[in-house]
Amino acid sequence: MNYIFFIFSLLAAAAATVAAARGGHNITRILAKHPDFSTFNHYLSATHLADEINRRRTITVCVVDNAAMSDLLSKHFSLPTIKNILSLHIFADYFGAKKLHRIAKGSATTSSLFQATGEATGMSGYVNITVHKGGKVGFSPADDGGDSPMASLVKSVEDLPYDISVIHISHVLTSPEAEAPTASPTDLNLTSLMAKQGCKSFADMITAQGGVEETLRLSLAAGLTVFCPSDQTLKSFMPEFRNLSGDGKTALLLYHAMPEYNSLGTLRSSNGLINTLATEGGKKKYDFTVENDGDDVKIQTKVVTATIKGTLVDNDPLAVYKVDKVLLPRELFKVAPEAMSPTSKSAADENDSENSGDDDAPADDNSSRRRIGNAVLSCSLIFGVLIMGI
């Protein structure tokens, strides 16, 4: 009997290891098991909030039933405004039912995804959690001012401790700022948006370089993703930028844009080589590689590796992300010796050869291979111990 128990324990551990290697939670699948939340689930997908929830390792989702969503939809808000309102229901921290009832001093304030969108100001986007006498838990936006009734905890829907908590609350959380009319992404002034959110230098470079702003504007209707270096990042790079030719400056700026919309969730799941607006047919590739590193999304250009550090806007068809380095294409800049290992340099040289087809291969399959390889190794070790035990 002891051996049988030992075998089943090892098999369970192996299964858990493989499951962990495959990925984390999926909010769409979780809510699909609960028809009462079908409307809320639909709008998580329509607003791309589902992608944002799935990419985060620690998250709390406050869902409301179909009747509550009907009340919200009766106000005929635009889809971008609905996204802001639903973003208030997603906390960037884990709050399971047990944790909610054990909040120190009976109250806490947590940030929501609305606070992370860049649309919220001041305390907008924060939610107050209050534990009342008798154990009733209430939720209210921090900037609501007490004008709306406090939503209350109804029940726990799904709880994976310290990973994701899905809880049912009595009614929709909203606030004047979340309900404020939101401009359609195609109506946004892209450079003005960048300038207001810490990327003024990059916005000025786009405006000053003839034709670049118009190219971005024309690309927006079909979908556009822009990677924006912060003002601090650009300070030390400006001398190099001034030394580029006019065509080089244009290519560099367009290299920071992809001719399609990509949410963070999409970037995390579509690793590999990506074309940019700087690509010139078959003449010059001007591509880079998107790769995941835990919760981080990294951009590899063969010259530098940049990391996405924030979201300026994520609203189909436009996404603008702040990055911590200027994206330097190999077509304009040489690879620094310290930027690549000898093995990586050799591989990069092969990729740049005219007769090589490696550039067409999804370079980031290595990431999933490593995860699965680690799972297989773990399983092998487990079964090795099993054999030794027997």
Side-chain angles (χ1 to χ4, degrees):
M1 288 294 292
N2 288 338
Y3 277 122
I4 294 174
F5 178 77
F6 181 59
I7 290 170
F8 277 106
S9 297
L10 289 173
L11 290 175
T17 302
V18 174
R22 289 177 178 171
H25 49 258
N26 185 307
I27 187 62
T28 305
R29 291 176 186 169
I30 290 172
L31 294 182
K33 297 181 289 186
H34 304 275
D36 288 346
F37 308 127
S38 59
T39 306
F40 189 91
N41 195 17
H42 166 74
Y43 278 93
L44 286 184
S45 296
T47 59
H48 301 286
L49 285 171
D51 291 337
E52 185 70 13
I53 293 168
N54 293 339
R55 84 169 189 86
R56 290 177 178 260
R57 191 164 292 174
T58 303
I59 201 83
T60 299
V61 184
C62 301
V63 301
V64 296
D65 60 24
N66 294 340
M69 282 299 295
S70 294
D71 290 340
L72 174 63
L73 297 176
S74 68
K75 298 178 181 179
H76 304 293
F77 291 124
S78 66
L79 188 62
T81 299
I82 291 174
K83 180 178 181 178
N84 285 345
I85 294 171
L86 295 188
S87 295
L88 272 173
H89 295 69
I90 305 165
F91 306 156
D93 196 0
Y94 168 81
F95 285 96
K98 290 183 179 179
K99 182 178 178 180
L100 286 170
H101 286 98
R102 295 173 183 172
I103 289 176
K105 299 182 180 179
S107 65
T109 299
T110 188
S111 62
S112 71
L113 291 194
F114 180 47
Q115 190 274 329
T117 61
E119 297 287 337
T121 60
M123 288 302 293
S124 295
Y126 289 89
V127 176
N128 293 327
I129 305 173
T130 307
V131 182
H132 300 281
K133 289 182 179 180
K136 183 178 179 181
V137 181
F139 304 86
S140 61
D143 66 335
D144 180 53
D147 295 333
S148 302
M150 183 176 288
S152 58
L153 174 66
V154 178
K155 64 180 179 180
S156 174
V157 177
E158 188 92 8
D159 192 3
L160 300 175
Y162 311 109
D163 181 8
I164 183 171
S165 171
V166 182
I167 54 178
H168 177 196
I169 61 174
S170 59
H171 58 264
V172 172
L173 299 174
T174 189
S175 70
E177 188 148 351
E179 291 186 2
T182 303
S184 167
T186 55
D187 296 332
L188 289 174
N189 185 314
L190 183 58
T191 52
S192 176
L193 173 72
M194 292 179 180
K196 290 178 181 178
Q197 300 196 48
C199 293
K200 185 178 186 306
S201 298
F202 191 69
D204 291 343
M205 291 161 66
I206 290 173
T207 303
Q209 193 62 29
V212 173
E213 188 171 15
E214 180 66 7
T215 299
L216 294 175
R217 188 186 68 79
L218 293 174
S219 301
L220 181 55
L224 182 66
T225 302
V226 181
F227 301 96
C228 180
S230 65
D231 292 339
Q232 190 65 33
T233 299
L234 279 172
K235 277 185 179 180
S236 60
F237 175 71
M238 289 309 297
E240 292 183 72
F241 181 75
R242 295 189 187 100
N243 286 333
L244 292 173
S245 66
D247 288 344
K249 291 176 180 176
T250 296
L252 177 75
L253 295 173
L254 293 178
Y255 186 66
H256 286 72
M258 297 164 55
E260 59 185 53
Y261 164 76
N262 283 278
S263 67
L264 273 174
T266 303
L267 290 174
R268 285 177 56 83
S269 61
S270 58
N271 294 340
L273 288 172
I274 303 293
N275 284 328
T276 69
L277 283 179
T279 299
E280 300 176 14
K283 297 178 182 178
K284 294 183 180 180
K285 295 183 178 179
Y286 281 108
D287 52 26
F288 53 64
T289 300
V290 176
E291 185 176 77
N292 297 318
D293 182 10
D295 285 338
D296 292 331
V297 177
K298 294 185 177 294
I299 312 297
Q300 297 181 341
T301 75
K302 298 180 183 176
V303 180
V304 297
T305 298
T307 302
I308 293 178
K309 290 297 185 181
T311 302
L312 274 64
V313 63
D314 181 358
N315 191 4
D316 193 359
L318 174 65
V320 184
Y321 304 108
K322 188 180 291 186
V323 290
D324 62 355
K325 291 181 182 177
V326 178
L327 304 183
L328 305 179
R330 197 172 187 187
E331 286 80 357
L332 298 176
F333 298 90
K334 292 182 179 180
V335 179
E338 65 274 12
M340 302 178 70
S341 66
T343 304
S344 299
K345 288 180 185 177
S346 176
D349 290 338
E350 290 178 9
N351 285 341
D352 284 345
S353 172
E354 291 182 359
N355 298 323
S356 172
D358 289 349
D359 277 339
D360 296 326
D364 239 33
D365 282 346
N366 294 333
S367 178
S368 56
R369 288 197 189 105
R370 283 195 298 271
R371 289 195 296 271
I372 295 174
N374 289 338
V376 172
L377 177 59
S378 298
C379 291
S380 300
L381 290 173
I382 289 170
F383 287 114
V385 173
L386 170 61
I387 293 170
M388 291 175 66
I390 294 174

